[in-house]
PDB file of all heavy atoms in Angstrom:
ATOM      1  N   ALA A 205     -10.770  36.717  38.611  1.00 97.00           N
ATOM      2  CA  ALA A 205     -10.777  36.387  40.032  1.00 97.00           C
ATOM      3  C   ALA A 205     -11.210  34.941  40.226  1.00 97.00           C
ATOM      4  O   ALA A 205     -12.198  34.494  39.635  1.00 97.00           O
ATOM      5  CB  ALA A 205     -11.720  37.319  40.780  1.00 97.00           C
ATOM      6  N   THR A 206     -10.453  34.199  41.015  1.00 98.00           N
ATOM      7  CA  THR A 206     -10.829  32.804  41.299  1.00 98.00           C
ATOM      8  C   THR A 206     -11.670  32.702  42.558  1.00 98.00           C
ATOM      9  O   THR A 206     -12.594  31.886  42.630  1.00 98.00           O
ATOM     10  CB  THR A 206      -9.575  31.933  41.460  1.00 98.00           C
ATOM     11  OG1 THR A 206      -8.711  32.535  42.440  1.00 98.00           O
ATOM     12  CG2 THR A 206      -8.823  31.813  40.154  1.00 98.00           C
ATOM     13  N   THR A 207     -11.372  33.530  43.564  1.00 98.00           N
ATOM     14  CA  THR A 207     -12.095  33.481  44.831  1.00 98.00           C
ATOM     15  C   THR A 207     -12.265  34.898  45.365  1.00 98.00           C
ATOM     16  O   THR A 207     -11.332  35.708  45.309  1.00 98.00           O
ATOM     17  CB  THR A 207     -11.322  32.651  45.879  1.00 98.00           C
ATOM     18  OG1 THR A 207     -11.015  31.373  45.340  1.00 98.00           O
ATOM     19  CG2 THR A 207     -12.144  32.479  47.151  1.00 98.00           C
ATOM     20  N   VAL A 208     -13.447  35.183  45.888  1.00 98.00           N
ATOM     21  CA  VAL A 208     -13.690  36.452  46.572  1.00 98.00           C
ATOM     22  C   VAL A 208     -14.243  36.148  47.961  1.00 98.00           C
ATOM     23  O   VAL A 208     -15.260  35.458  48.096  1.00 98.00           O
ATOM     24  CB  VAL A 208     -14.690  37.343  45.803  1.00 98.00           C
ATOM     25  CG1 VAL A 208     -14.954  38.626  46.592  1.00 98.00           C
ATOM     26  CG2 VAL A 208     -14.170  37.680  44.414  1.00 98.00           C
ATOM     27  N   PHE A 209     -13.548  36.618  48.992  1.00 98.00           N
ATOM     28  CA  PHE A 209     -14.037  36.528  50.358  1.00 98.00           C
ATOM     29  C   PHE A 209     -14.798  37.825  50.662  1.00 98.00           C
ATOM     30  O   PHE A 209     -14.239  38.928  50.487  1.00 98.00           O
ATOM     31  CB  PHE A 209     -12.878  36.388  51.342  1.00 98.00           C
ATOM     32  CG  PHE A 209     -12.081  35.118  51.203  1.00 98.00           C
ATOM     33  CD1 PHE A 209     -10.984  35.068  50.354  1.00 98.00           C
ATOM     34  CD2 PHE A 209     -12.421  33.978  51.912  1.00 98.00           C
ATOM     35  CE1 PHE A 209     -10.238  33.906  50.221  1.00 98.00           C
ATOM     36  CE2 PHE A 209     -11.680  32.812  51.791  1.00 98.00           C
ATOM     37  CZ  PHE A 209     -10.589  32.777  50.940  1.00 98.00           C
ATOM     38  N   ILE A 210     -16.048  37.708  51.093  1.00 98.00           N
ATOM     39  CA  ILE A 210     -16.826  38.887  51.444  1.00 98.00           C
ATOM     40  C   ILE A 210     -17.297  38.786  52.896  1.00 98.00           C
ATOM     41  O   ILE A 210     -17.254  37.707  53.500  1.00 98.00           O
ATOM     42  CB  ILE A 210     -18.048  39.070  50.515  1.00 98.00           C
ATOM     43  CG1 ILE A 210     -18.988  37.858  50.610  1.00 98.00           C
ATOM     44  CG2 ILE A 210     -17.591  39.299  49.082  1.00 98.00           C
ATOM     45  CD1 ILE A 210     -20.313  38.057  49.873  1.00 98.00           C
ATOM     46  N   SER A 226     -13.252  42.613  52.362  1.00 98.00           N
ATOM     47  CA  SER A 226     -13.281  41.721  51.209  1.00 98.00           C
ATOM     48  C   SER A 226     -11.875  41.542  50.626  1.00 98.00           C
ATOM     49  O   SER A 226     -11.053  42.460  50.679  1.00 98.00           O
ATOM     50  CB  SER A 226     -14.220  42.272  50.131  1.00 98.00           C
ATOM     51  OG  SER A 226     -14.349  41.355  49.050  1.00 98.00           O
ATOM     52  N   LEU A 227     -11.650  40.356  50.083  1.00 98.00           N
ATOM     53  CA  LEU A 227     -10.336  39.973  49.555  1.00 98.00           C
ATOM     54  C   LEU A 227     -10.552  39.161  48.286  1.00 98.00           C
ATOM     55  O   LEU A 227     -11.373  38.234  48.253  1.00 98.00           O
ATOM     56  CB  LEU A 227      -9.602  39.126  50.602  1.00 98.00           C
ATOM     57  CG  LEU A 227      -8.346  38.356  50.208  1.00 98.00           C
ATOM     58  CD1 LEU A 227      -7.204  39.330  49.922  1.00 98.00           C
ATOM     59  CD2 LEU A 227      -7.945  37.393  51.331  1.00 98.00           C
ATOM     60  N   VAL A 228      -9.800  39.502  47.239  1.00 98.00           N
ATOM     61  CA  VAL A 228      -9.923  38.812  45.952  1.00 98.00           C
ATOM     62  C   VAL A 228      -8.623  38.080  45.643  1.00 98.00           C
ATOM     63  O   VAL A 228      -7.528  38.653  45.736  1.00 98.00           O
ATOM     64  CB  VAL A 228     -10.235  39.810  44.807  1.00 98.00           C
ATOM     65  CG1 VAL A 228     -10.412  39.046  43.488  1.00 98.00           C
ATOM     66  CG2 VAL A 228     -11.469  40.623  45.130  1.00 98.00           C
ATOM     67  N   LEU A 229      -8.744  36.797  45.274  1.00 98.00           N
ATOM     68  CA  LEU A 229      -7.601  35.979  44.880  1.00 98.00           C
ATOM     69  C   LEU A 229      -7.675  35.669  43.396  1.00 98.00           C
ATOM     70  O   LEU A 229      -8.760  35.463  42.845  1.00 98.00           O
ATOM     71  CB  LEU A 229      -7.582  34.659  45.666  1.00 98.00           C
ATOM     72  CG  LEU A 229      -7.741  34.719  47.178  1.00 98.00           C
ATOM     73  CD1 LEU A 229      -7.612  33.315  47.777  1.00 98.00           C
ATOM     74  CD2 LEU A 229      -6.736  35.674  47.801  1.00 98.00           C
ATOM     75  N   MET A 243     -14.949  44.848  45.597  1.00 98.00           N
ATOM     76  CA  MET A 243     -14.323  43.568  45.266  1.00 98.00           C
ATOM     77  C   MET A 243     -15.263  42.663  44.464  1.00 98.00           C
ATOM     78  O   MET A 243     -14.818  41.925  43.586  1.00 98.00           O
ATOM     79  CB  MET A 243     -13.865  42.858  46.539  1.00 98.00           C
ATOM     80  CG  MET A 243     -12.785  43.606  47.322  1.00 98.00           C
ATOM     81  SD  MET A 243     -11.282  43.994  46.368  1.00 98.00           S
ATOM     82  CE  MET A 243     -11.577  45.714  45.914  1.00 98.00           C
ATOM     83  N   MET A 244     -16.548  42.721  44.734  1.00 97.00           N
ATOM     84  CA  MET A 244     -17.495  41.906  43.961  1.00 97.00           C
ATOM     85  C   MET A 244     -17.531  42.341  42.502  1.00 97.00           C
ATOM     86  O   MET A 244     -17.854  41.535  41.618  1.00 97.00           O
ATOM     87  CB  MET A 244     -18.888  41.996  44.574  1.00 97.00           C
ATOM     88  CG  MET A 244     -19.067  41.141  45.833  1.00 97.00           C
ATOM     89  SD  MET A 244     -18.855  39.372  45.480  1.00 97.00           S
ATOM     90  CE  MET A 244     -20.282  39.059  44.416  1.00 97.00           C
ATOM     91  N   ALA A 247     -15.501  40.031  40.353  1.00 97.00           N
ATOM     92  CA  ALA A 247     -15.898  38.629  40.219  1.00 97.00           C
ATOM     93  C   ALA A 247     -16.432  38.344  38.825  1.00 97.00           C
ATOM     94  O   ALA A 247     -17.056  39.201  38.189  1.00 97.00           O
ATOM     95  CB  ALA A 247     -16.943  38.275  41.260  1.00 97.00           C
ATOM     96  N   THR A 251     -16.171  32.699  39.354  1.00 98.00           N
ATOM     97  CA  THR A 251     -15.523  33.041  40.619  1.00 98.00           C
ATOM     98  C   THR A 251     -16.269  32.422  41.796  1.00 98.00           C
ATOM     99  O   THR A 251     -17.497  32.471  41.862  1.00 98.00           O
ATOM    100  CB  THR A 251     -15.477  34.570  40.799  1.00 98.00           C
ATOM    101  OG1 THR A 251     -14.762  35.147  39.709  1.00 98.00           O
ATOM    102  CG2 THR A 251     -14.794  34.935  42.115  1.00 98.00           C
ATOM    103  N   GLU A 252     -15.517  31.853  42.714  1.00 97.00           N
ATOM    104  CA  GLU A 252     -16.106  31.319  43.948  1.00 97.00           C
ATOM    105  C   GLU A 252     -16.304  32.471  44.926  1.00 97.00           C
ATOM    106  O   GLU A 252     -15.359  33.179  45.258  1.00 97.00           O
ATOM    107  CB  GLU A 252     -15.198  30.255  44.572  1.00 97.00           C
ATOM    108  CG  GLU A 252     -15.734  29.703  45.888  1.00 97.00           C
ATOM    109  CD  GLU A 252     -14.751  28.779  46.593  1.00 97.00           C
ATOM    110  OE1 GLU A 252     -13.549  28.816  46.262  1.00 97.00           O
ATOM    111  OE2 GLU A 252     -15.188  28.038  47.495  1.00 97.00           O
ATOM    112  N   ILE A 253     -17.512  32.660  45.401  1.00 98.00           N
ATOM    113  CA  ILE A 253     -17.820  33.703  46.370  1.00 98.00           C
ATOM    114  C   ILE A 253     -17.972  33.049  47.740  1.00 98.00           C
ATOM    115  O   ILE A 253     -18.816  32.167  47.926  1.00 98.00           O
ATOM    116  CB  ILE A 253     -19.112  34.460  46.013  1.00 98.00           C
ATOM    117  CG1 ILE A 253     -19.072  34.932  44.545  1.00 98.00           C
ATOM    118  CG2 ILE A 253     -19.322  35.621  46.969  1.00 98.00           C
ATOM    119  CD1 ILE A 253     -17.947  35.885  44.233  1.00 98.00           C
ATOM    120  N   ARG A 254     -17.159  33.472  48.680  1.00 98.00           N
ATOM    121  CA  ARG A 254     -17.183  32.881  50.019  1.00 98.00           C
ATOM    122  C   ARG A 254     -17.614  33.941  51.035  1.00 98.00           C
ATOM    123  O   ARG A 254     -16.880  34.895  51.298  1.00 98.00           O
ATOM    124  CB  ARG A 254     -15.805  32.317  50.389  1.00 98.00           C
ATOM    125  CG  ARG A 254     -15.389  31.125  49.517  1.00 98.00           C
ATOM    126  CD  ARG A 254     -14.028  30.586  49.929  1.00 98.00           C
ATOM    127  NE  ARG A 254     -13.994  30.196  51.325  1.00 98.00           N
ATOM    128  CZ  ARG A 254     -14.374  29.008  51.806  1.00 98.00           C
ATOM    129  NH1 ARG A 254     -14.848  28.094  50.965  1.00 98.00           N
ATOM    130  NH2 ARG A 254     -14.284  28.746  53.096  1.00 98.00           N
TER     131      ARG A 254
END
Side-chain angles (χ1 to χ4, degrees):
T206 53
T207 307
V208 177
F209 295 90
I210 60 172
S226 185
L227 167 69
V228 182
L229 311 183
M243 297 304 99
M244 282 298 294
T251 301
E252 178 187 18
I253 309 299
R254 294 181 57 85

